[in-house]
Amino acid sequence: MRKKYPNLILFICCFALAILSHAVFLYQWTQNHFMIGINDGLAQMMPFKHLLYEQYTNGEFFYSYSFGLGAGIYSGLSYYFSTSTVFWVTVVIVFALEKVGMIDPPNVLFWANAAVFISVVRLSFVLYIASRLFIYMNIARRYAFIGAAFYGVSGMFFRHTAYWEFFADAFLWLPLLILGIEKIFREAKPGWFLFAVAISLVNNFYFSYINFILAGIYILVRLFVPLTLQETEKKKAIGLFLLTGIIGFGISAAAFIPAVYAYLNNHRPTFSQNIPLLEIPENILYMSRIVVLPPLFVFLLFSAFLYRNKLYRLFAALGLVAIALHHSPMAGSFFNGLSAPQNRWEYFLSLMIGGIIAVGLANLHKLTLFGFSVAAFFTVSLYIVWALGDEQLDFSKQYPAFMAVSLPIMLLLILVFVKFKKPIFKITLIAYLFIWLIVSANIYQEEKLLKAGELSKVNEELMTGSEYDDPEIRGLLEKIEQRDTGLTYRIDWMEGVRNNTPLVQDFRGLSAYSSILNKNLLYFYLYDLEIDMARESVSRYATLGNRANLFSLMQGKYTIIPKDAPTADVLPTAEGMDNVPFGFMKILESQNFAVYENEHLLPFARSTSTVFQERQLENVHSLAREHAMLEGVVLDDSNQTDPLPDIEEQATEFAIEPIDATYQNDILEVKEKIGGIDLIPESNIPEGDFYVSFHLENHAPNKGFNLAVNNYLTSRKSNRSVYKTYVDDITIRVPAAERIKIRMPKGKYTLSEIKVFAESYEILKSQKEQYTDLADLDFNGNKVALDYENTKNDAYLTVSIPYERGWSASVNGQKTDVLKANYAFIAVPLEEGKNTVVLTYWPPFFFLTLIVSILSAIAAAWFIFFPKRRKNKIEQ
C-alpha cells in the first residue's frame, strides 16, 4: 500500500501527527473546555462564525442588519471569514450535517466545540502541503515529512489558531506559494503559482500582503541562487511570475477588491509611537510565545559541512534573515501595514526551520565527529550564554526546562549516530524528534495558552453564563420580542466589554467590534458627535452615551440596565439617573436587570426639507449637531442650507471648585487617591440633562485611568497603548444636578475647554409628536423596501441605515442618488405624493469585479491547458 498509495499514506501520517499534537486541547474538549482565546476568540471569532453561518445558510451573503448598526458583511468581514475558503468548506459540511439531523442548528457554543477539530484538519493539510513542497525540492519523503512537522507543529500555529483562528490559514498558503515559485524556476510551469496567488488573495487580503512580501523575498533570492542545473531563464521566469500573478489577481478580484475597499473605508488612528529598529524580544531559545528555535535547528546552523548544499544554504540564509527581522519592531510594523509592530509573519521562519531540518537530516550521515564536536560546542555555548544573560528565564516553568533537557538528549543521539553510522540510531533520532515535537506542542498549549493565555477559563460554563451569554438576559430578550414585533428597533445591551454581544444573543444592538468597520460610523462616534462609549478603544463602537436624542434617532428603543447600577428606583435624586437615558421608562425586570423603553422613539424613516451642511456645523457643539439631525437633515454636500440651531442660549455658566486637587491654567493635579473638580452651575437647575464637554490629556507616560462624571464612569487608555484613539475631546451626558463632579485618579492632567450645556429635549418631544407617513416597510436580505406618503412635499427621506458605498436606490421605479446624511446614515430625494423607495446593497464594485474574475478564470484555463500557445505568446 505504501508504494501504491504513497500520498494517501503521507496524509494519514499528517492526520495522525495533527491529532497527537492537539492532545492537550482534545483532552480539554472532553472536559467542556475549548480551543478559544478568552478575548478576541470569544469576542470576534465565535460571533462572526455564528453570524456568517446564519447569513449564508439563509441565502444572505452580503449585508446584515444585526452586525452593529448594519453593515456589509461580505467585504467588512473579509478580514475574518466571509471570503475564507476554509470557512466555506466548513459551512458546507456543517450545513449538510444539520440537514441530515446529525447536529442541532449551530450556535456560538457549537463553533467553540468545533474549534479543535477544525484545527486538527487544518494542521493535517498544512503538514501535507509542506511535505509535498519539500518532496518536490528533492528531499526524501521521510525527511520532508519531519521538516513539514517542524513547520506546522509550531507554537505560532497553535497561538494563531486559539486567538485569531483565520490567522492559521496563512500556514496553508505560504508553502503553496513557495511550491508555485519552485515550479516556475524548475519547470516553467505556472499553474500552481497562479492558483496559490488567487486563493491567497481570495481568502484574506491582509495575509496575502504578508505572504506576497515573503514570496517576493524568496523569488528575489532564488533569482540569484539556482538549485538545479537547468532552471528557467531569469527573464522568462520573471515574465511568468508577472503574468500569472496578474491573472491570479484577476481571478480573486470579486473577493479581493471589495475587501480592500472595506479596509480603506475603515478608520484606525495612526500609530504615533516610536518604533525602534532593533530590540530583544522574548527568549527564542527557551520560552518565547511567538517562536522558539528547536535545538536541532541551532545545531545544524553550526554544522559547516551542510553549507556545501545549495538548498541548505537557501534555507539557512532566509532563516537567519528571518531571525534578524524577528528582532526588529520596524520589520513587524512593515509586515503589519506600517502600523503597530506585530509578530504575525514568523511562520515563514518556521518554514525555513523545517527546510533546514529536512535537508540536515537527509545529509546527517556526512557529519564527522570533528564536525559534530565543533557544532555541539557552539550550540551549547549559545544556550549557556543565552540562559545566563536572561534574568527573566525561569527553569521552574515547563517550557524552558523542557528546552534545556532536550538539548543534551538530542546531542547524545546525534553523537551515537555519527560515531556508529547505524540506520537504527538514525531511526531512533527521528523517532525522538517526533516525540519532541508532540511533547513540545502540548507543553506550549498547556503553559503558554491554557495558563498564561487564560484559555483554561474558556469553557461551557463561561459561554452559557452571566459573563458571556446570560440566560437571565436571554429571558428578557424573549419577553421584548413577544411584546414588540417591530423590524427596526434596537436594544442597548452588552455583556461587560464584549461589543459583539448582539451577535451572540441574537438581537439587534448598538455595538460592534471588528478590525474593519464603517469609517463613517467611527467618525460619527469619535469626532462628529463625540459619543463616549464608556471605554476608550479602537476598532469598536458601543452604546450612545445615554444621550436620548441619539437613541431616538437611531432606533434605540430599549436599554437593559443592571439593578445594582444607579437608577431612579435606587437613587431617587437627579444625580442617580446617570445610567438611564432621558425619557426611558421601566417596562420589564428580572432578578438582576431592568428593561427601559424609549418614549420618544422617532420613525425609522422621516422626511424633511430643512437642510444643513456638515461644514456649517464644523465649529459648533455636538448638541447643536444633534438638534440639526432632529430638525432636518445634515448633508455632506448641498447647495441648500438653513439657519443653524442656536444652542448658545443653552450654555450654562459655572464656577469651578477643586476637590483634593489643584487646578490652574488648565492643569489639574490630583493630590489624593481620587480627586478632580466640581462644576457648580450659577443658574437654576433645568429639567433634563447637562452635556459636559472638555479636553483631557493624561501626563503619565504609560498609565490608563478611569474617569467619572457624577455617576457616569468611563475609562481612558494609556498614552502608550496600541488601542488608544487619541481622541481627547470628550462629551459626557449627565442628568442636571447642583454639582457636576469630574473625578480621576492621582496624577497630572491637562483639562481645558470646559463647557456645560443644558438640554431640555423640547426639540425631541416636538419631533416625536409629528405624524409619520411611513406606510409599509420590508427587509429582505440586502434589500429594504418602504412606502412613504410625502404629504408635506418634503425634499428628502432620512433612513436609519448606515451609509456605505454599495447602496443603490430607486424611488417609484426610477434610480436616484443615495446621499450620506446625518454624518453616517442614508437619505434619498423624495417625490411629491406616494413614494415607493427600494434600497439595495451589493459589495462595492462587485459586478465589475465578478466579470473580471470570470474572464481571468477563462484566461487562466487557456494559459494552463494550452501551454504551447502560451509559450509562443510569451516568446513573441
Side-chain angles (χ1 to χ4, degrees), residues 555-573:
Q555 299 297 294
K557 190 173 184 180
Y558 302 99
T559 182
I560 302 176
I561 296 177
K563 285 185 176 180
D564 58 5
T567 67
D569 294 335
V570 179
L571 296 172
T573 65

Side-chain angles (χ1 to χ4, degrees), residues 802-862:
Y803 176 87
E804 57 180 301
R805 188 165 189 164
W807 282 105
S808 61
S810 67
V811 175
N812 295 331
Q814 299 296 316
K815 285 189 176 182
T816 190
D817 294 330
V818 177
L819 307 173
K820 183 163 81 83
N822 295 339
Y823 297 99
F825 298 91
I826 282 176
V828 294
L830 283 179
E831 298 177 359
E832 185 177 356
K834 182 179 179 180
N835 286 257
T836 297
V837 180
V838 178
L839 294 164
T840 306
Y841 176 85
W842 293 100
F845 316 109
F846 181 69
F847 291 106
L848 175 62
T849 55
L850 184 61
I851 293 171
V852 172
S853 293
I854 293 171
L855 294 177
S856 298
I858 294 171
W862 174 85

Side-chain angles (χ1 to χ4, degrees), residues 286-287 292 397-403 440 443-444 447-448:
Y286 290 99
M287 56 183 288
V292 173
K397 294 182 177 179
Q398 295 181 62
Y399 210 63
F402 175 74
M403 289 298 166
S440 173
I443 289 177
Y444 181 91
E447 188 168 87
K448 300 293 185 183

Side-chain angles (χ1 to χ4, degrees), residues 15 194 215 228 287 411 416 495 520 634 653 663 724 726 735 800:
F15 185 59
L194 191 155
T228 58
M287 56 183 288
L411 291 175
V416 171
E495 294 282 5
N520 300 305
V634 180
E653 297 295 328
Y663 183 60
K724 184 171 177 59
Y726 300 97
S800 298

Side-chain angles (χ1 to χ4, degrees), residues 226-405:
L227 298 178
T228 58
L229 293 177
Q230 293 183 335
E231 291 203 337
T232 305
E233 192 265 332
K234 290 180 182 179
K235 184 178 179 181
K236 181 179 179 181
I238 293 172
L240 287 172
F241 285 129
L242 292 175
L243 186 56
T244 52
I246 291 171
I247 295 174
F249 170 79
I251 292 173
S252 75
F256 181 74
I257 297 299
V260 171
Y261 173 80
Y263 169 76
L264 296 175
N265 193 50
N266 182 46
H267 169 68
R268 188 167 180 136
T270 303
F271 185 77
S272 60
Q273 300 173 31
N274 181 53
I275 302 175
L277 177 62
L278 292 172
E279 71 176 15
I280 302 299
E282 293 177 313
N283 192 321
I284 61 173
L285 293 183
Y286 290 99
M287 56 183 288
S288 173
R289 297 168 301 157
I290 310 301
V291 58
V292 173
L293 304 181
L296 179 58
F297 167 77
V298 178
F299 173 83
L300 292 174
L301 282 180
F302 289 117
S303 300
F305 81 98
L306 287 170
Y307 288 89
R308 292 193 291 268
N309 184 290
K310 290 183 179 180
L311 184 56
Y312 181 87
R313 288 202 303 270
L314 173 69
F315 287 137
L318 291 172
L320 290 170
V321 169
I323 291 172
L325 293 178
H326 174 67
H327 289 79
S328 171
M330 194 170 290
S333 173
F334 179 73
F335 280 107
N336 195 36
L338 302 179
S339 185
Q342 295 286 0
N343 299 109
R344 294 172 178 167
W345 61 272
E346 280 89 337
Y347 53 92
F348 178 78
L349 173 56
S350 295
L351 185 61
M352 296 304 104
I353 288 172
I356 285 172
I357 289 174
V359 177
L361 288 175
N363 291 275
L364 196 61
H365 60 280
K366 300 176 183 178
L367 180 62
T368 64
L369 282 174
F370 176 76
F372 168 83
S373 301
V374 173
F377 171 78
F378 283 109
T379 301
V380 172
S381 298
L382 182 64
Y383 272 82
I384 292 173
V385 169
W386 215 277
L388 295 175
D390 188 351
E391 296 179 355
Q392 297 181 348
L393 186 59
D394 183 2
F395 285 108
S396 66
K397 294 182 177 179
Q398 295 181 62
Y399 210 63
F402 175 74
M403 289 298 166
V405 170

Side-chain angles (χ1 to χ4, degrees), residues 659 674-678 706-709 740-745:
I659 304 295
I674 299 292
I677 60 173
D678 281 0
N706 288 332
L707 167 69
V709 181
I740 301 170
K741 303 174 181 179
I742 301 176
R743 298 290 185 268
M744 54 206 77

Side-chain angles (χ1 to χ4, degrees), residues 483-520:
R483 74 191 305 273
D484 194 331
T485 58
L487 298 175
T488 63
Y489 71 82
R490 294 190 176 275
I491 302 169
D492 185 24
W493 166 250
M494 278 172 46
E495 294 282 5
V497 296
R498 299 193 182 279
N499 295 55
N500 286 324
T501 293
L503 302 183
V504 174
Q505 297 182 333
D506 298 300
F507 67 92
R508 292 184 298 275
L510 291 163
S511 60
Y513 170 37
S514 172
S515 291
I516 307 295
L517 287 171
N518 185 341
K519 176 172 64 177
N520 300 305

